[in-house]
Amino acid sequence: MESSRKFFPAIVILLLVVIASEVAPAQARECETASNKFSGMCMIDANCDHLCKTEGFLSGTCRGFRRRCMCTTSC
């Protein structure tokens, strides 16, 4: 009886890990690269997003101190 009480917390933690891995879907990694066609400072995210989509990327956003248009795609 005493030995089963020692293993109970370990079994509960193991079950929680298994359930959490089943519930959380695997997400695809996203890679980010600078736009080839965007010139100048990126100020409006919608413009960057539209240009990145015309280049074949999933989306785009203005990032960084230099305000570059960065396009995202799945790796």
Side-chain angles (χ1 to χ4, degrees), residues 7-8 13 19 35 40 42 52 61 66 71:
F7 290 114
F8 183 73
I13 291 173
I19 291 171
S35 171
C42 182
C52 286
T61 187
R66 295 172 45 197
C71 302

Side-chain angles (χ1 to χ4, degrees), residues 1-9:
M1 183 72 170
E2 185 66 31
S3 63
S4 65
R5 287 186 182 180
K6 289 181 182 178
F7 290 114
F8 183 73

Side-chain angles (χ1 to χ4, degrees), residues 12-69:
V12 169
I13 291 173
L14 181 64
L15 285 174
L16 288 174
V17 168
V18 170
I19 291 171
S21 65
E22 293 287 329
V23 172
Q27 295 180 351
R29 279 187 357 172
E30 289 186 350
C31 294
E32 199 171 61
T33 185
S35 171
N36 294 324
K37 295 181 181 178
F38 197 92
S39 62
M41 285 183 64
C42 182
M43 299 304 257
I44 301 172
D45 284 334
N47 292 344
C48 177
D49 185 54
H50 178 71
L51 186 64
C52 286
K53 286 179 180 175
T54 61
E55 290 182 41
F57 293 100
L58 297 176
S59 65
T61 187
C62 301
R63 291 211 192 272
F65 179 74
R66 295 172 45 197
R67 302 304 295 169
R68 296 173 65 194
C69 178

